[in-house]
Amino acid sequence: MQKATFDEYIARFNARDRGAFEDYIDPKCVVLNGTLVINGAEGMKAHYARIWRSCSEELHVERFVSDDDSLAIQMWTHFGVKKDDEDSPFGPVKAGESFDYHGIIMYQLVNNKFTDIKVSYLSFSRTDLDGNTIQL
C-alpha cells in the first residue's frame, strides 16, 4: 500500500468516517490489540462506536514502512474524553481526562485491504482531571 492511500485511511478515521472500515478492512480481518480481538469491519465499527460516543480520537503516524503485502507504522494516538462514560472501553472515564497511546501496528494486506492487524504498545497513559499522568 502506498503511503498516500494509507494517509487517506487515517484522515477518514480521524474524521470518524465509519465507511473507511468497509473500504480498507477485509470482512475476515482479525485485529489483535493486546488481549482484545476484533473481527472484521463490523467489529471495528462496533468497537470505535463505543470509543467515539464519549471520546475524541486523533491518530498521528510518526513512521510508515510498507511493501506489497504488509505495512507497519509507529503511531501516537490521543484520546480526549468529552463526556463521562461509565462503560467506555477504557473503563469509567470523566470529561476532561485523556489517554495517549504510543506503539507499533503491523498490517497484512490483500488487494489493498487489511486482513490482519496486530497492535503493539510502547506506552499507554491516562491523564486524570488533576493533570496526573499514569502509565497503564
Side-chain angles (χ1 to χ4, degrees):
M1 178 179 282
Q2 297 294 316
K3 186 169 186 316
T5 303
F6 188 76
D7 287 346
E8 179 184 321
Y9 167 69
I10 295 297
R12 290 179 64 191
F13 183 97
N14 282 340
R16 296 184 182 194
D17 177 353
R18 294 168 38 96
F21 296 130
E22 293 166 4
D23 292 344
Y24 290 90
I25 297 176
D26 187 88
K28 294 180 182 177
C29 179
V30 175
V31 180
L32 181 59
N33 184 345
T35 59
L36 175 66
V37 176
I38 302 170
N39 293 299
E42 292 304 313
M44 290 288 277
K45 283 194 246 179
H47 176 70
Y48 282 98
R50 287 188 65 215
I51 292 174
W52 293 340
R53 73 178 179 215
S54 57
C55 295
S56 63
E57 179 176 9
E58 188 166 344
L59 284 64
H60 305 272
V61 177
E62 298 173 323
R63 188 168 179 202
F64 172 93
V65 295
S66 72
D67 60 24
D68 291 339
D69 61 3
S70 61
L71 71 87
I73 58 170
Q74 180 178 328
M75 165 173 275
W76 163 48
T77 303
H78 179 76
F79 303 87
V81 181
K82 299 299 180 191
K83 68 177 190 174
D84 294 0
D85 187 345
E86 290 297 315
D87 187 37
S88 86
F90 306 119
V93 295
K94 299 283 184 193
E97 292 182 312
S98 64
F99 294 83
D100 288 281
Y101 157 80
H102 295 268
I104 307 293
I105 303 175
M106 175 66 80
Y107 301 81
Q108 294 298 309
L109 302 157
V110 173
N111 298 321
N112 262 0
K113 283 206 171 197
F114 307 133
T115 58
D116 183 77
I117 302 172
K118 291 190 172 50
V119 180
S120 175
Y121 293 77
L122 299 172
S123 69
F124 190 62
S125 62
R126 178 182 200 149
T127 302
D128 67 20
L129 295 175
D130 294 324
N132 301 309
T133 301
I134 303 150
Q135 291 299 319
L136 302 174

